[in-house]
Amino acid sequence: MSAVWTASRAAVKRRRLQTFVIGLVVLCSTTTVLLALALLSAASGPFDKAYAEQRGAHTVATFDTTKVSQEQLARTARQPGVETAAGPFGQTVVDIPKDWLWMAGGTLTVVGRADPAGPVDRIELLEGHWATAPGEIVVNWSAQGSPGTALLGTKLETSGGTTLTVVGFATSMSKSASAWVTPEQMAALHPSSAQMLYRFTDSSTEDRLSASLARATTGLPKESLTGAQTYLTLKQAFSALADSYLPFMTLFGILGLLVSTLIVGNVVSGAVVSGYRHIGVLKALGFTPSQVVAVYLTMLSVPAVVGCVLGTLAGNALARPILKVAFTGIDVGRASVGNISPWLSVVCLVGMPALVLLAALVPALRAHRLPAARAISAGGAPRAGRGLRVQRMLGATRLPRPVSLGLGQPFARPGRTLLTMAAIVLGVTTVTLSTGLTSTMVAYGNVGREDGGARIHVTTGGSGNDRTPSRLSDLQIEKRLRSLPGAEGVRARALSQVNMAGQTQPVFADFYRGDDSLYDHTIVKGRAPSAAGEIVAGPAFLTQRGLKLGDRVTLELNGRKITATVVGRLIEGDARALEATWRTLARLAPDAHATEYTVRLAPGADARAHAEAVAALDPGLHASVMDSGNAGTATVVTFSTVFTVLLTLVASLGVFNTVLLNIRERRRDLGMLKSIGMTPRQVVVMTVTSVAGLGAVGGLLGIPLGIVAHRLVVDNVGVVDFPASMKDVWHAPQLAAMLMAGVAIAVLGALVPARSAARMTIASVLHTE
Amino acid sequence: MTTDHNSARHVVVRLDGVHKEYGDAKALDGLSLEITAGDAVAVMGPSGCGKSTLLNMVAGLDRPTSGTVEVHGHDLGKLNETGLALFRRRNVGMIFQFFNLIDDLPVLDNVALAAQLTGTPARQARRRALELLDELGVAERRNNYPATLSGGERQRVAVARALMNRPALLLADEPTGALDSRSGEQVMDLLIDLNQIGQTLLIVTHDPQLATRCASRLIEVADGRVARESTLEATA
Ligand SMILES: Nc1ncnc2c1ncn2[C@@H]1O[C@H](COP(=O)(O)OP(=O)(O)O)[C@@H](O)[C@H]1O
Ligand SMILES: [Mg+2]
């Protein structure tokens, strides 16, 4: 074994540059792979992790207590298939007045629970304390952050005459209730239903969940189960936005994995192939075939292990900030993003060296069988085939000879050429895809800003502890805002939860009044809502409910109903939100008023000054300049940039390595060419041309692939329905630039070795080989 | 061929006090030498005495540590890499022990290459290459690849390539060293013929027979200097 070690050490020393390149390629590839894996797991993981931590309920079931007894319900917890269960908890619905806390009115589902902890659905207390005495109520806060302590002590009169005081705010990931009271208080409210919280052993799909629930509730009186909500709906809503970016994140992840694997394979196998002569010498010295393989694997394992360890460290260091930036704006609730599982590092640390060894093993085993004499002469062995015919044809063209010589070189080593080309193709695909996505996302982020004017967001009543009420009425505010100099349009907004017939969950409805110029840019199909009963919504809302333009739905708020027609499709929107005009709201809640206003400024107007002017109108008004960024844009642009940089780097290194190997193998030819008068410039031209051709072909293949990938991605972002104008981001000059990107990747990788080849002293090379 | 032997015989190569060191090792140690047009000079000496280094200096493939190298009026020390390349193109042709043909190119293209580098169109370069191959008796091998040729044939192709740009000086480093004696003799005859029509030759060899048959002057090198110089009777 020591002979193997000596030979490996000598080989590493003699090929410092090559060893360095292999190490660097493995490093960059490992970083890319780790990022890609972190990305894939972050995009799908956060909900499940947080949900498991909170022991969230797989199914929240509601029972009619007039049909089923407490004991019967308690027994369902011991049925097969039930992992754990909590309950039964009494449950009732309490009416709330308009504008109670931050709610627009409606009802509150209240559950009687002695303890926020428990085997299922751990409730996290955000402010105050848990309800322990009669008359105390804890309200669910589902948004991010905390509502603060200012609202503690708010009272609620029930229709039965009970006074409840808010003593705490809490959050339940299972969304099992809107508020909680003690079991005793619940009994006093005379509930007619009860809640059971289940965790099932099999919770993978909606079907399994309903089967599990059916099994648990067998034997209960008919129709005693009045409702069931599975966590899958929550999960979907929770990660809707994250999921919608998954197609493109997945694509980047896959591209990263592919390019990295290809380049590592190319670099490593190239190292072994270029060492065939060396292998012959080792064999002549008396190394057994297995020892030869061992020498090569040892030689490669040094840069592989070092590169992999450093790459894993770099990946871990990079992934956290990158994921943080990328996920800003994607609501992941209380789940943490950016925690990279140590398993990913393990996968990289084991997988990358394994990949290197595998890539080395194939050619090394070929060398294993190669007779020593053949191996020794491998460099100068006669070659024949298609490559030679191509060289001939090129020699007869009018191209300068260094150029035609360079163009012919790739045909001498078709295998290596193909791998290099694949790397360039994927590199160009990535660049094309990412520039396309960036264009699309920037266009999308600019929706509503086409006129160039800034927008001021005005809210009434402030936020947090500062809740100075506005002295002005809704209409007065609108009028004042409109009359401020620089204001081109004012749009008032009221948000309400309304019930939609046939839907268990309420939907969010935005009602607008005034300036509706935004719809000129955000309606991708149909038209803007105008009359009472006309609604528009984003693609996710419509698709999830199977709605299309012209379909009718019934909306209900505080007992008033209206039949509404879908008249338009918005470019994007929450899966639970729809939009309508004030006329619709007037029918549902005649005395509702707006809580937010958007002021559209004339182009060039000073937004900050305007915001201050708005605040000066009334201390109850809070104005802020709407930031121009868009969360989705940040996500896409971040990942596009990171992966473009990484993959371009890795692809360039692959080209660099290919050129390096070619030069090493062609030292003798280069020496001869110089001896007959090839100038250093001609050497550079020849060497660069040898890969620029690959780059051009790579560009020609990579660009269409990138365009297709871009189309696939933008068509599959569920929450956004990009109009054709945002999808058609390709123009001739841009495509030409992309093609140049392919050539640039190749030239960049080739330039350094080409110049060193031009400077190479050749006097000795010509004799020794 | 290019040298006009009616004009006054001028100095083609002048080396003056040339030193070449590779680290601590002295390859050339103050070597001086003059070669006039039409000369056929053989350089002999033990292995490692600096013969190849001398040839590389003359070809502009390597630079002396000190001393001057002047070839055909060019002071090689004053030329940069590109200048040296252009100098080689027009002034010297080289032949090597191991031929140094490009395996990927057929014989004809290997020869044509030398002219194509200077911008000669492919068609014209191939025509001249074919003429040369014909003169050297390997025209029928023009479409073969080097690997399928015998050593002697390969060396004749190499000679053809060296002559493509009508060099003032033909340099040969052990041109018969890798050949069997019969092929070696053929190559020798070829060199003699070239010298007969005025081609200046500088041949490195350690084959005394080659030296005596081809050369008009014999220079013996030892330890990086000229140890002995003698004029030979041409025996052609
Ligand atoms: N590129 C080089 N690097 C280091 N030493 C060299 C190099 N070329 C030649 N030498 C040394 O210079 C001396 C002369 O070499 P060379 O001119 O090749 O001898 P020869 O007369 O056999 O052709 C030898 O000792 C050789 O080892
Ligand atoms: Mg020598």
Side-chain angles (χ1 to χ4, degrees):
Chain A
M1 204 60 203
S2 93
V4 167
W5 181 240
T6 313
S8 316
R9 247 188 33 206
V12 169
K13 273 193 174 162
R14 216 163 53 84
R15 299 148 198 259
R16 283 214 185 94
L17 184 58
Q18 198 180 347
T19 305
F20 178 72
V21 169
I22 294 173
L24 204 58
V25 165
V26 173
L27 193 160
C28 292
S29 304
T30 310
T31 307
T32 313
V33 167
L34 190 72
L35 273 181
L37 292 176
L39 177 60
L40 295 180
S41 82
S44 62
F47 181 85
D48 291 324
K49 228 175 90 198
Y51 209 69
E53 266 169 28
Q54 301 293 324
R55 314 256 327 136
H58 289 144
T59 299
V60 177
T62 312
F63 297 91
D64 184 345
T65 44
T66 60
K67 297 201 173 98
V68 65
S69 73
Q70 298 281 323
E71 292 68 36
Q72 280 174 306
L73 287 178
R75 218 174 297 137
T76 61
R78 295 186 292 275
Q79 292 295 320
V82 177
E83 188 190 281
T84 28
F89 303 128
Q91 177 180 322
T92 190
V93 174
V94 174
D95 287 324
I96 52 172
K98 204 155 63 70
D99 291 335
W100 189 75
L101 290 180
W102 53 84
M103 291 170 249
T107 57
L108 213 54
T109 305
V110 184
V111 163
R113 240 175 107 163
D115 185 2
V120 184
D121 184 26
R122 288 186 188 147
I123 297 167
E124 192 185 341
L125 199 62
L126 299 171
E127 299 290 350
H129 63 86
W130 192 248
T132 48
E136 292 184 342
I137 186 167
V138 171
V139 180
N140 181 56
W141 170 262
S142 55
Q144 273 193 301
S146 153
T149 51
L151 294 171
L152 291 178
T154 308
K155 308 256 184 240
L156 175 65
E157 293 282 334
T158 68
S159 51
T162 318
T163 304
L164 296 170
T165 308
V166 177
V167 296
F169 292 106
T171 185
S172 150
M173 248 193 114
S174 313
K175 295 211 192 323
S176 54
S178 346
W180 295 272
V181 295
T182 62
E184 299 73 35
Q185 177 62 64
M186 182 47 62
L189 292 169
H190 306 294
S192 59
S193 51
Q195 175 182 79
M196 282 296 293
L197 307 171
Y198 297 104
R199 283 182 68 84
F200 295 117
T201 44
D202 186 354
S203 60
S204 48
T205 64
E206 205 69 64
D207 283 350
R208 303 269 172 90
L209 284 168
S210 60
S212 296
L213 182 63
R215 193 136 32 104
T217 55
T218 39
L220 294 189
K222 239 174 65 167
E223 286 166 7
S224 62
L225 179 67
T226 54
Q229 166 200 312
T230 71
Y231 83 112
L232 291 177
T233 334
L234 289 177
K235 181 178 177 177
Q236 220 165 24
F238 183 91
S239 59
L241 206 54
D243 279 351
S244 65
Y245 289 110
L246 203 62
F248 102 83
M249 289 184 174
T250 312
L251 200 67
F252 272 116
I254 290 172
L255 274 173
L257 289 173
L258 257 175
V259 173
S260 304
T261 313
L262 270 173
I263 299 286
V264 169
N266 191 15
V267 168
V268 168
S269 60
V272 178
V273 171
S274 80
Y276 274 0
R277 187 191 300 272
H278 178 234
I279 288 172
V281 173
L282 291 179
K283 284 188 168 179
L285 278 175
F287 277 70
T288 67
S290 323
Q291 279 175 322
V292 169
V293 172
V295 167
Y296 270 73
L297 296 189
T298 313
M299 180 183 108
L300 286 166
S301 61
V302 174
V305 168
V306 173
C308 180
V309 168
L310 293 179
T312 306
L313 290 176
N316 272 301
L318 278 176
R320 196 178 248 280
I322 287 176
L323 286 178
K324 276 245 152 58
V325 172
F327 277 89
T328 44
I330 293 181
D331 178 21
V332 291
R334 286 172 193 286
S336 51
V337 164
N339 287 334
I340 295 110
S341 154
W343 279 109
L344 301 185
S345 300
V346 173
V347 167
C348 285
L349 287 171
V350 174
M352 286 309 275
L355 175 66
V356 169
L357 290 189
L358 199 73
L361 207 58
V362 176
L365 285 179
R366 236 179 82 200
H368 185 280
R369 293 189 302 267
L370 212 60
R374 279 262 322 276
I376 289 178
S377 66
R383 289 194 286 263
R386 252 164 311 151
L388 301 178
R389 272 209 304 281
V390 175
Q391 300 260 26
R392 265 221 85 170
M393 269 165 44
L394 284 166
T397 59
R398 284 163 167 280
L399 294 168
R401 199 60 181 117
V403 171
S404 57
L405 277 177
L407 286 176
Q409 272 187 20
F411 298 95
R413 287 227 175 266
R416 182 182 298 165
T417 300
L418 279 178
L419 283 176
T420 311
M421 178 118 94
I424 298 178
V425 168
L426 291 176
V428 172
T429 304
T430 312
V431 175
T432 309
L433 170 65
S434 64
T435 43
L437 281 178
T438 308
S439 305
T440 302
M441 293 309 289
V442 167
Y444 167 62
N446 282 337
V447 164
R449 278 163 235 280
E450 289 84 353
D451 47 32
R455 281 178 160 70
I456 308 286
H457 183 66
V458 182
T459 55
T460 59
S463 56
N465 298 340
D466 172 26
R467 294 188 68 88
T468 320
S470 172
R471 285 182 280 109
L472 302 170
S473 75
D474 175 18
L475 290 173
Q476 279 174 318
I477 294 172
E478 188 186 337
K479 215 174 132 203
R480 297 275 178 98
L481 289 175
R482 209 183 290 284
S483 60
L484 279 181
E488 292 237 303
V490 176
R491 190 185 203 201
R493 174 185 187 225
L495 170 67
S496 185
Q497 279 200 33
V498 301
N499 293 314
M500 203 167 124
Q503 304 274 316
T504 49
Q505 293 256 342
V507 298
F508 298 110
D510 278 315
F511 299 98
Y512 291 106
R513 187 179 71 208
D515 179 24
D516 66 351
S517 63
L518 190 63
Y519 281 136
D520 294 348
H521 308 289
T522 56
I523 297 278
V524 288
K525 211 168 155 197
R527 58 176 176 81
S530 139
E534 290 183 347
I535 60 167
V536 294
F541 181 93
L542 297 178
T543 327
Q544 285 185 18
R545 288 167 183 77
L547 293 172
K548 51 188 188 312
L549 295 199
D551 284 355
R552 288 162 165 275
V553 295
T554 304
L555 302 179
E556 184 252 29
L557 180 64
N558 294 336
R560 293 170 194 264
K561 287 192 179 165
I562 189 170
T563 306
T565 314
V566 181
V567 297
R569 185 179 171 104
L570 291 168
I571 179 167
E572 63 141 350
D574 191 284
R576 290 179 57 195
L578 60 83
E579 296 184 8
T581 63
W582 209 262
R583 293 190 185 108
T584 308
L585 181 62
R587 295 267 290 277
L588 291 171
D591 43 356
H593 62 255
T595 53
E596 283 177 35
Y597 306 85
T598 307
V599 184
R600 181 166 55 86
L601 298 187
D606 182 353
R608 201 157 292 282
H610 197 96
E612 281 163 18
V614 169
L617 284 178
D618 182 336
L621 292 184
H622 296 262
S624 57
V625 181
M626 282 169 81
D627 77 68
S628 53
N630 177 294
T633 312
T635 306
V636 175
V637 172
T638 307
F639 272 96
S640 297
T641 315
V642 168
F643 277 92
T644 303
V645 168
L646 273 174
L647 293 185
T648 309
L649 189 66
V650 172
S652 303
L653 278 173
V655 174
F656 177 81
N657 178 69
T658 301
V659 175
L660 212 62
L661 291 178
N662 284 344
I663 289 174
R664 189 188 284 279
E665 285 173 11
R666 288 172 177 274
R667 267 152 55 105
R668 201 173 54 97
D669 288 356
L670 268 173
M672 189 282 297
L673 287 167
K674 286 177 112 180
S675 81
I676 63 170
M678 187 174 254
T679 62
R681 248 177 71 116
Q682 286 178 317
V683 173
V684 172
V685 167
M686 178 178 77
T687 312
V688 169
T689 317
S690 73
V691 288
L694 290 188
V697 177
L700 286 176
L701 292 177
I703 291 170
L705 276 177
I707 292 178
V708 169
H710 172 263
R711 192 37 84 111
L712 275 178
V713 169
V714 294
D715 283 346
N716 283 295
V717 174
V719 286
V720 186
D721 187 358
F722 293 105
S725 65
M726 290 186 194
K727 291 196 259 192
D728 299 333
V729 293
W730 311 107
H731 312 291
Q734 206 179 359
L735 291 179
M738 295 292 106
L739 187 61
M740 292 315 295
V743 180
I745 290 179
V747 169
L748 222 65
L751 213 53
V752 175
R755 293 182 54 167
S756 81
R759 281 198 298 267
M760 189 167 78
T761 349
I762 29 132
S764 49
V765 179
L766 292 171
H767 305 276
T768 49
E769 309 209 356
Chain B
M1 290 157 91
T2 52
T3 316
D4 181 356
H5 40 218
N6 294 328
S7 69
R9 288 165 62 85
H10 62 277
V11 176
V12 180
V13 177
R14 174 179 291 126
L15 273 72
D16 196 6
V18 173
H19 289 260
K20 178 67 187 181
E21 281 149 29
Y22 292 106
D24 288 342
K26 285 185 176 166
L28 294 180
D29 190 12
L31 186 139
S32 299
L33 175 71
E34 271 188 15
I35 298 172
T36 41
D39 270 358
V41 179
V43 179
M44 294 192 74
S47 179
C49 70
K51 303 183 297 290
S52 296
T53 309
L54 164 64
L55 212 63
N56 290 337
M57 293 295 147
V58 175
L61 286 178
D62 216 341
R63 290 165 185 282
T65 314
S66 67
T68 54
V69 180
E70 229 181 87
V71 181
H72 217 234
H74 302 273
D75 183 347
L76 300 194
K78 295 208 173 99
L79 298 177
N80 63 11
E81 282 298 312
T82 306
L84 284 175
L86 298 178
F87 155 80
R88 283 195 292 272
R89 258 185 214 173
R90 298 195 202 103
N91 299 283
V92 298
M94 287 194 84
I95 308 166
F96 306 93
Q97 181 176 2
F98 296 107
F99 329 122
N100 289 330
L101 298 173
I102 293 183
D103 294 325
D104 295 345
L105 295 178
V107 162
L108 189 65
D109 283 358
N110 256 291
V111 177
L113 196 60
Q116 282 179 291
L117 279 184
T118 66
T120 310
R123 185 182 276 275
Q124 201 178 320
R126 281 184 176 175
R127 197 179 318 124
R128 167 146 174 82
L130 194 58
E131 277 170 29
L132 278 171
L133 288 173
D134 196 33
E135 280 175 40
L136 299 180
V138 278
E140 73 281 8
R141 306 293 257 157
R142 63 183 176 275
N143 290 329
N144 293 61
Y145 287 92
T148 63
L149 267 59
S150 76
E153 285 172 324
R154 280 191 238 184
Q155 198 59 299
R156 274 183 279 165
V157 172
V159 172
R161 186 183 60 197
L163 295 174
M164 264 309 269
N165 292 332
R166 302 182 168 87
L169 185 60
L170 189 61
L171 305 173
D173 194 350
E174 315 228 6
T176 59
L179 301 178
D180 60 273
S181 58
R182 219 177 68 82
S183 308
E185 270 170 36
Q186 284 175 350
V187 170
M188 277 185 238
D189 290 340
L190 190 63
L191 293 176
I192 292 165
D193 289 347
L194 287 169
N195 183 240
Q196 290 287 310
I197 54 169
Q199 178 71 56
T200 314
L201 295 179
L202 178 57
I203 306 167
V204 165
T205 181
H206 44 221
D207 175 0
Q209 202 204 346
L210 173 66
T212 48
R213 274 188 61 188
C214 296
S216 52
R217 275 172 70 198
L218 176 65
I219 293 175
E220 285 171 65
V221 179
D223 297 329
R225 326 164 190 240
V226 177
R228 205 152 68 100
E229 245 202 273
S230 45
T231 309
L232 300 167
E233 284 307 312
T235 55

